[in-house]
Amino acid sequence: MTDAKPRFDRLALIGVGLIGSSIAHAARRHSLVRSIVATARTAATRKRVVELGLADEVVETNAEAVRGADLVIVCIPVGACGPVAAEIARDLKPGAIVSDVGSVKGSVVKDMAPHMPAGVHFVPAHPVAGTEHSGPDSGFAELFINRWCILTPPPGTDAKAVERLAAFWRALGAKVETMSPEHHDLVLAVTSHLPHLIAYTIVGTADELGEVTESEVLQFSAGGFRDFTRIAASDPTMWRDVFLANKDAVLEMLGAFQEDLSKLTRAIRRGDGETLFEHFTRTRAIRRGIVSIGQDSAAPDFGRPPATMPTTPLPRPYASGEE
Ligand code: NAP
């Protein structure tokens, strides 16, 4: 964060949505790259990237984007990472670092690694930071500050390349951790994927209450439900891909969740206040632990951006990412 010298000459961003545009903002703010070349799938997004001035150059194809780049970051839904890796393989510069930001790591490694030519360093990454917004307009430079970025380099990856990418993410404001893709997917299944599935479910359930939705549910949507609706507004393509790609870990965690839900259901049915009280006391301690390690604020959230964020129109980042 303090070193103003560019760490990379040419950063290629494939996909400029929330994460890609946030990387562009933050890399520029901290002068981490000499130039940014970007591309996106549709002409409309590429045009918007030009209008927003997010890159020095906007090109039409993924292959063009990676030519001459010493850092390539693929910022697209995880289901699209394999085909894109195949598309760019021949045009990658020897010695380049290729990374991604996907919310699932096992499938991305399986889909991308086989296409990586010798001499190119493949270092998958997942910044655990996000909002429910998407597209090139939604990014902001502060998104990664104090959030984790998890790197999952395959065994044998050049340690210097891993450290260069870690330093880049630290300079964007993130804290960096390294782990295996499998471990990442299990941890994120419970901390991010399952909460999103619950939010998608509960908002759908409320919606099915028909006339209630039109009146009371919206009118009285205090804390709990309102927070769920924010999470359930997350990008449908991204989240479809996450659940398809992290099926096993999500199903494992969903099984554990259903068992716990049954225990609480039984306690409510039996009027077992002691069980409910003990459970809620334990979860309250977990919440306090999260606040004490700085992953969220204890301040009340009335829908305003937190005070640490200088520009008011920005969406409020949340710790579960997205993630
Ligand atoms: P986003 O705002 O929806 O942007 C997605 C970008 O990917 C757009 O530029 C889009 O291009 C492009 N794209 C979509 N489908 C594509 C395809 N089939 N082939 C090539 N490009 C395609 O998404 P995002 O939130 O930045 O998420 C990007 C990645 O970051 C995902 O893998 C996600 O899992 C991960 N992630 C997201 C969050 C989060 O909270 N959002 C947090 C951490 C990690 P067009 O606009 O032209 O269609």
Side-chain angles (χ1 to χ4, degrees), residues 201-222:
T201 311
I202 208 162
V203 174
T205 304
D207 187 47
E208 275 158 29
L209 297 178
E211 74 278 13
V212 176
T213 307
E214 278 149 36
S215 54
E216 281 102 334
V217 173
L218 290 183
Q219 190 180 346
F220 301 119
S221 67

Side-chain angles (χ1 to χ4, degrees), residues 33-81:
V33 294
R34 271 186 228 283
S35 67
I36 299 176
V37 56
T39 189
R41 181 178 52 162
T42 62
T45 298
R46 294 195 296 269
K47 181 168 171 276
R48 192 66 191 134
V49 174
V50 172
E51 286 164 1
L52 293 167
L54 289 169
D56 300 281
E57 216 180 306
V58 179
V59 295
E60 285 196 11
T61 68
N62 298 330
E64 260 178 281
V66 304
R67 268 174 226 149
D70 51 350
L71 176 60
V72 175
I73 308 185
V74 177
C75 307
I76 63 178
V78 290
C81 286

Side-chain angles (χ1 to χ4, degrees), residues 15-20 40-42 45 75-78 80 84 101-103 126-127 129-131 134-135 235 238 321-323:
V16 193
L18 170 70
I19 303 296
R41 181 178 52 162
T42 62
T45 298
C75 307
I76 63 178
V78 290
V84 165
V101 294
S103 307
H126 174 207
T131 74
S134 46
D235 188 69
M238 170 189 157
E322 22 263 291
E323 62 327 52

Side-chain angles (χ1 to χ4, degrees), residues 185-209:
D185 289 354
L186 205 58
V187 171
L188 270 291
V190 72
T191 57
S192 170
H193 306 170
L194 193 57
H196 275 79
L197 192 67
I198 293 167
Y200 280 124
T201 311
I202 208 162
V203 174
T205 304
D207 187 47
E208 275 158 29
L209 297 178

Side-chain angles (χ1 to χ4, degrees), residues 155-200:
T157 308
D158 180 50
K160 276 194 200 137
V162 177
E163 180 42 40
R164 274 192 87 192
L165 189 70
F168 178 79
W169 276 104
R170 282 194 293 268
L172 298 183
K175 301 177 281 187
V176 176
E177 180 72 74
T178 300
M179 61 179 73
S180 73
E182 297 73 25
H183 188 67
H184 167 279
D185 289 354
L186 205 58
V187 171
L188 270 291
V190 72
T191 57
S192 170
H193 306 170
L194 193 57
H196 275 79
L197 192 67
I198 293 167
Y200 280 124

